[in-house]
Amino acid sequence: MAALTALLLVAHRAVPNTPGHLGSLLEAFLPWLGLAVVPLLTLAVLRRSLLALLALLLPVTAWAYAFGGLLLPAPDPGPRDLVVVQHNVSDVNADPAGTARALDAAGADLIALEELVPQALPHYEQVLAPHYPFHEVRGTVGIWSRHRLSGTRVVDIKPKDITEGWSRGLRTLAHTPHGEVAAYVAHLPSIRIGPGGLASARRDESARLLGNALAAEETDAVIVLGDLNATVDDRGLTSLTSRLNVSERGFAFSFPASFPLARIDQVMARGATVGRIHTLPATGSDHLPVTARVSLD
């Protein structure tokens, strides 16, 4: 069992994704495999087995190799840093004004929001306006900025089998003191876990469409913010993680807010380094906000 746990941690991509997207399901909760050490250690002690205790070095070493770096201290702030916040504010949030005040207090340069509904939008606009005079909203996603925005457009990430109105992606150009940054905000389709395993086909298709848009992006510095409904270990995001840097510091489990199990709210970048990512206090959403410092190259 110790050897199997270690193998899954370091070779999770070898787990087939059919049937039921088992590979993606494993990768969604990959850090939690480390908890297998607890019952294995208990059994080893009860059996007074030196061999079993030595075997536990395998999963401990594998976990440290895969995730130990996330526990290291954050790098020092740099002269070309931008602070960003990402939050799915929930379309049933009963306190959008309170959520907006909490996000405003984070002191970010850019704030990306998803699940913006028409009745809640005025609350965000009113509360954030004093410190964020520039904002753009397309469909149910939006971005608020301290710096001027231009060239905003919809990014089409709608899966082909969705026929109704569906707009969950935008791209804008932020004119920061450190240069122009192409900022993308995206909300990929939700996944479902059922008897047949993980249903993620729509999410994976949407991720590929977003990856195609990023491949065509000509601006050197790019920041992607969004509820991607996947962890960075999930192979469903390969079209993004193969093109973008992700945070190498911090776990920042963001969902569900009541008992966070996974970080599906992401900050990624190209032509920049994503520093330590961490969560902010809970709002009226079922997600926790996440924030990170992005250092432009």
Side-chain angles (χ1 to χ4, degrees):
M1 289 301 298
L4 177 60
T5 300
L7 185 63
L8 290 174
L9 281 165
V10 299
H12 52 90
R13 292 297 173 94
V15 177
N17 228 13
T18 54
H21 289 84
L22 293 179
S24 283
L25 182 60
L26 168 67
E27 289 157 352
F29 304 102
L30 196 60
W32 295 99
L33 277 184
L35 292 179
V37 171
V38 176
L40 292 176
L41 175 61
T42 302
L43 288 172
V45 172
L46 291 175
R47 291 174 61 91
R48 299 180 181 180
S49 171
L50 179 60
L51 179 61
L53 286 171
L54 290 174
L56 287 178
L57 292 175
L58 292 173
V60 169
T61 303
W63 192 95
Y65 172 79
F67 301 109
L70 298 177
L71 300 174
L72 296 176
D76 294 332
R80 291 169 54 80
D81 286 2
L82 294 173
V83 177
V84 300
V85 167
Q86 148 60 29
H87 192 28
N88 179 326
V89 295
S90 176
D91 55 5
V92 293
N93 191 329
D95 185 20
T99 297
R101 288 191 293 271
L103 298 174
D104 181 63
D109 293 279
L110 301 173
I111 299 176
L113 305 181
E114 298 82 45
E115 292 198 14
L116 288 169
V117 291
Q119 60 269 31
L121 182 57
H123 294 282
Y124 294 103
E125 292 175 329
Q126 180 179 1
V127 173
L128 295 175
H131 294 145
Y132 298 89
F134 309 99
H135 81 279
E136 297 285 350
V137 176
R138 297 293 186 274
T140 58
V141 300
I143 186 168
W144 272 255
S145 174
R146 294 183 184 272
H147 315 295
R148 182 172 64 89
L149 303 174
S150 68
T152 307
R153 57 177 171 80
V154 170
V155 178
D156 186 6
I157 57 173
K158 183 171 74 171
K160 61 185 178 182
D161 67 334
I162 296 179
T163 57
E164 65 270 17
W166 197 94
S167 180
R168 291 189 180 185
L170 71 78
R171 179 266 188 196
T172 192
L173 194 66
H175 300 266
T176 79
H178 315 303
E180 296 180 343
V181 177
Y184 284 73
V185 183
H187 184 191
L188 302 189
S190 299
I191 59 174
R192 296 289 184 268
I193 300 176
L198 184 72
S200 64
R202 283 182 171 180
R203 183 206 62 189
D204 296 348
E205 180 184 353
S206 191
R208 288 191 293 271
L209 292 171
L210 180 57
N212 293 339
L214 293 169
E217 176 59 58
E218 297 181 352
T219 306
D220 291 335
V222 177
I223 299 176
V224 176
L225 304 147
D227 173 4
L228 304 186
N229 274 300
T231 67
V232 294
D233 297 305
D234 193 323
R235 68 193 69 184
L237 292 189
T238 300
S239 58
L240 303 180
T241 53
S242 62
R243 294 183 170 96
L244 302 167
N245 300 316
V246 301
S247 175
E248 296 181 356
R249 300 288 186 273
F251 284 96
F253 294 147
S254 63
F255 183 83
S258 57
F259 190 78
L261 293 172
R263 186 177 83 235
I264 61 176
D265 296 272
Q266 306 295 354
V267 177
M268 302 179 177
R270 186 183 78 193
T273 301
V274 183
R276 188 176 188 86
I277 188 168
H278 61 90
T279 57
L280 296 174
T283 67
S285 172
D286 55 344
H287 291 241
L288 295 177
V290 300
T291 183
R293 186 178 293 274
V294 179
S295 302
L296 302 181
D297 294 345

